[in-house]
Amino acid sequence: MTGAPAGGAGPRGPVAPPGLAYAPPVTGTSLVALLDGRLLPATEPLLRPDDAGVVRGDGVFETTLAVDGEPRDLSEHLDRLGRSAAALEVDIPDRTEWSRGVDAVLADRPAGQWSVRLTATRGPDDGPATCFVVRSPVGPRLLAQRQGIGVLALDRGFDGPAVARAPWLLAGAKTLSYATNMAALRWAAAHGADDVVFVGTDGTLLEAPTATVVLARGRSLVTPPPEGILAGITAERLFAAAAAAGWAIARERVTVADLFAADAVWLTSSVRLLAPVTTVDGRALPAGRRAGLTGELAALLDMPAPAAVG
Ligand SMILES: Cc1ncc(COP(=O)(O)O)c(C=O)c1O
């Protein structure tokens, strides 16, 4: 199959060629499902070249971790997908259909840790949203980052409250327009770091390109205020478990200096889960309580062992 999908556009995006029944690979490669539950090889073309998701990055997505075939926090991810789609005014299928797609890519209950990505583009001008689910292996590099990462503090070019006041900037929606986030990560890699913490024009931290910033200060977990950033599902899950275990939770303005004064700092996100920050701009953070606190928070998050890769 080349070019546009051979089956043309169905009511919910591209349709697989008739009769294509795709057997899932044994391990290690990606797998794609349409929301009717049909599986496609990840190597087959799926989007039309005039799909707004391709030509404008116009669409929304979610990514979560599946452990031994079980997706984590699926309900919360479907909630956020719905909120993002509403912010962009993209008409997406209901959660039952998305769950069918997720079930399809995990139907063989793959052992180990996999990333599951739900994508909805606005679609072509003359068609509906293009929706699909992809399961991919979690690479060893990402898993290794659960042991520690160095970050750079990079300018975001805006401050959180300002973008939160401008709904058309879509702050807080998980859109497909991640090119600047990826550029920031490449900048970090080119300068010897693993990741980035974005600093707003007011000098306070916002978030990482694909993660939430969390600090421990005594028995408090601290994270930047919600304005202008994505509401992290992992951080929310962590805060709920930590609060139940007696931690105080604070959402307050945090500066780079606060990272050095904290007992420990992490980036949290759905696939990597909990990545302890060891250096900021090449300077080591105090390591004294980091390992103990990371173990405590990993248990609160019910984090799977790092080794098993799908
Ligand atoms: C910009 C941004 N902030 C924060 C997060 C962390 O969110 P979650 O824990 O829901 O994965 C992500 C996840 O990809 C993200 O892209």
Side-chain angles (χ1 to χ4, degrees):
M1 186 164 80
T2 56
R12 289 298 182 190
V15 168
L20 177 65
Y22 180 63
V26 177
T27 186
T29 51
S30 300
L31 194 56
V32 181
L34 304 180
L35 301 200
D36 62 6
R38 271 178 297 174
L39 295 178
L40 304 175
T43 48
E44 291 296 332
L46 178 61
L47 299 178
R48 276 171 47 172
D50 60 349
D51 190 300
V54 174
V55 295
R56 300 202 185 98
D58 196 353
V60 297
F61 76 104
E62 281 296 324
T63 308
T64 193
L65 181 71
V67 181
D68 296 335
E70 211 41 63
R72 285 169 61 101
D73 302 323
L74 183 59
S75 178
E76 287 78 1
H77 284 281
L78 292 176
D79 288 347
R80 192 170 63 188
L81 187 72
R83 289 198 302 275
S84 298
L88 272 72
E89 299 179 48
V90 174
D91 183 20
I92 62 167
D94 66 27
R95 47 204 299 134
T96 320
E97 293 187 60
W98 285 103
S99 297
R100 193 184 303 133
V102 173
D103 287 348
V105 294
L106 297 175
D108 61 338
R109 311 286 301 167
Q113 299 177 49
W114 295 79
S115 120
V116 175
R117 186 180 169 101
L118 289 63
T119 302
T121 78
R122 189 178 300 282
D125 284 346
D126 60 354
T130 305
C131 302
F132 52 95
V133 178
V134 180
R135 147 191 146 188
S136 318
V138 181
R141 199 184 61 84
L142 208 61
L143 289 176
Q145 292 191 358
R146 294 181 184 164
Q147 309 307 313
I149 53 172
V151 303
L152 295 186
L154 295 185
D155 192 354
R156 189 55 156 152
F158 55 72
D159 72 74
V163 285
R165 284 194 299 271
W168 58 90
L169 295 179
L170 301 173
K174 199 164 165 70
T175 78
L176 292 174
S177 307
Y178 262 48
T180 54
N181 299 37
M182 297 300 107
L185 290 178
R186 285 194 302 276
W187 182 274
H191 293 82
D194 302 296
D195 215 313
V196 167
V197 290
F198 282 130
V199 184
T201 46
D202 63 355
T204 69
L205 302 188
L206 291 162
E207 60 186 344
T210 65
T212 308
V213 179
V214 177
L215 289 65
R217 204 183 272 155
R219 296 303 286 174
S220 293
L221 292 180
V222 182
T223 197
E227 286 82 21
I229 64 176
L230 188 74
I233 290 169
T234 316
E236 207 46 57
R237 174 178 172 144
L238 174 65
F239 295 156
W247 286 79
I249 309 300
R251 289 179 172 79
E252 61 185 50
R253 288 152 62 94
V254 172
T255 63
V256 169
D258 292 327
L259 301 180
F260 287 94
D263 291 313
V265 179
W266 301 271
L267 297 187
T268 67
S269 53
S270 293
V271 174
R272 199 169 41 179
L273 294 177
L274 188 66
V277 179
T278 58
T279 65
V280 177
D281 294 338
R283 285 175 55 208
L285 294 184
R289 299 186 57 212
R290 184 190 304 140
L293 289 170
T294 299
E296 187 178 343
L297 267 51
L300 289 171
L301 267 179
D302 193 19
M303 184 153 150
V309 186

